[in-house]
Structures are given as C-alpha cells and as structure tokens.
Amino acid sequence: MAPRTRRAERREEPLSRERIVEAAIALLDTAGESGLTFRALSEHLATGPGAIYWHVTGKDELLLAAADAVVTGSLSADTADATPKDAIRALALGVFDAIDAHPWIGAQLARTPAQSPLLRVFERLGRQVRALGVPHAAQFTAASALLNYILGVGGQNAANARANHPAGSRTEFLETAAAAWAALDPDEYAFTRDVAAQLRDHDDRVEFLAGIDLILGGITADR
C-alpha cells in the first residue's frame, strides 16, 4: 500500500483582542456601526461568538477599543521638536484625517467624552496650550475650543462625504452645491451667494487648518 501523504497543517494566527479590534474597525469602515454585529465579526474572523466574548464583553467595549486604536494611531506624529502651534496643527490634522478615514469615529468620540480616546486628544491639546503660555484660568477653555472645533468640523466633513457623494466625485458635489448657493435669493442670502465660488474651490484640509489658526490667533492674542 502506498504511504499516505500527510496534509500540511495550516497554522492560523491565534485569536487575540488585537485581531478582534482590527476586524471590528474593518467592519465599521465598510458597514458603519449598525453593521458591527458579533455574527458579522464571527464570520469575518472565522470563529464563534464565544471566542470573541472571551476577549471583549460586548459591543460597547468593542466600539471603545476600536476608537482608542484609531485615535492612538492618529497621535503617532513626532512633535517633540515642534513649536506648540505646529504641534497643535499636527495633532488636529491627524485627528481630522482619522475621522475622514473612519467616519464612524466622530460620533463615537462625542458619545464617550469621559473615556480614554477623547481624553488622549484633550491631554495632548492641553499640554500644548499650556506650552503656549496661556494663563491657567483660560487653559480649559482654550483646549476645549480646539477639541470641539476638531470634532465638529471633522465629523461634519465625514458626514457630508458619506451623505452627499459616497461613490461620486467630490468636485461634482461641490459644483452642484456652489451652483445651488449662487441661485439663492440675493436679498435673503447675500453673503452665501457671494462665497459660492469659494465653496466650489476650497480644500477641506486647508480650510480646517485655517480654522485652527484662527483659534490659535485668538488664544495667543494677548501674548
């Protein structure tokens, strides 16, 4: 009898919390928060729900872990030698880009203001605000204004991208919106009509950083 050929054993990467979080981020990016179910996660990881529950207790913990992983990645820029203003710009743009790449995270961060992902951002901003020489009594307000701007504009930009041109051209969307602005009543919307061309031609990241600079200008106006 001919000897049996032993089938090579396939060595699979063991299930870990990190793998589960990575898979959750992938599902959130493609299907949104409603698409993140333990059934979908089990199929994605080719495992049973029980194995996943060994590492995370439920969806809330998984969302928090996914948000924390994305935020940690957005804070990876080396700002050790940067000025406080440049460090704030780099931090702000990192979070803005993370929200743009992972649109679900804006709502998640706003939903958990007292938990670690948002506190990481607030702490980094606060340290740079303090380095700018802002008086202690004004530091909370200054850091909060920057944080709220980053989350607000980043979240709105991501929402616009999903709702208005998920698969189409951003240029086409802006041209359509600008044309609609230009056609508004000239008495009721004089300013909006006047800046319609700027809406059509603007760059989201450039405008975002311009807003950061306006806030920084106000924070440092007396220093």
Side-chain angles (χ1 to χ4, degrees), residues 85 89 146 149 206-220:
K85 286 186 177 181
R89 291 189 189 97
L146 285 163
Y149 174 82
V206 171
E207 288 295 323
F208 173 75
L209 285 177
I212 290 290
D213 288 339
L214 286 174
I215 297 173
L216 288 174
I219 290 173
T220 60

Side-chain angles (χ1 to χ4, degrees), residues 14 26 28 41 44 108 125 145 152 157 159 186 191 193-194 212 214 216:
L28 287 163
L41 197 58
H44 187 91
Q108 179 61 25
L125 288 171
N157 180 72
F191 173 78
R193 281 170 53 95
D194 190 51
I212 290 290
L214 286 174
L216 288 174

Side-chain angles (χ1 to χ4, degrees), residues 116-189:
S116 60
L118 202 60
L119 285 181
R120 292 182 196 279
V121 182
F122 187 69
E123 175 66 21
R124 296 287 188 94
L125 288 171
R127 292 189 183 196
Q128 298 305 327
V129 164
R130 189 167 57 190
L132 284 171
V134 175
H136 183 268
Q139 289 176 7
F140 171 78
T141 300
S144 296
L146 285 163
L147 179 64
N148 290 332
Y149 174 82
I150 292 167
L151 294 179
V153 176
Q156 187 61 54
N157 180 72
N160 287 341
R162 293 198 313 274
N164 296 311
H165 53 286
S169 165
R170 176 182 180 276
T171 301
E172 291 175 357
F173 163 70
L174 290 178
E175 287 178 350
T176 300
W181 282 21
L184 292 170
D185 182 272
D187 295 323
E188 190 173 0
Y189 296 98

Side-chain angles (χ1 to χ4, degrees), residues 20-53:
I20 293 170
V21 171
E22 288 176 2
I25 292 172
L27 284 173
L28 287 163
D29 288 347
T30 56
E33 187 174 330
S34 63
L36 178 61
T37 65
F38 274 68
R39 178 177 180 179
L41 197 58
S42 298
E43 292 176 355
H44 187 91
L45 291 166
T47 190
I52 297 173
Y53 278 114

Side-chain angles (χ1 to χ4, degrees), residues 78-99:
D78 183 6
T79 58
D81 298 324
T83 66
K85 286 186 177 181
D86 286 343
I88 288 173
R89 291 189 189 97
L91 168 61
L93 195 58
V95 176
F96 178 85
D97 288 341
I99 295 174

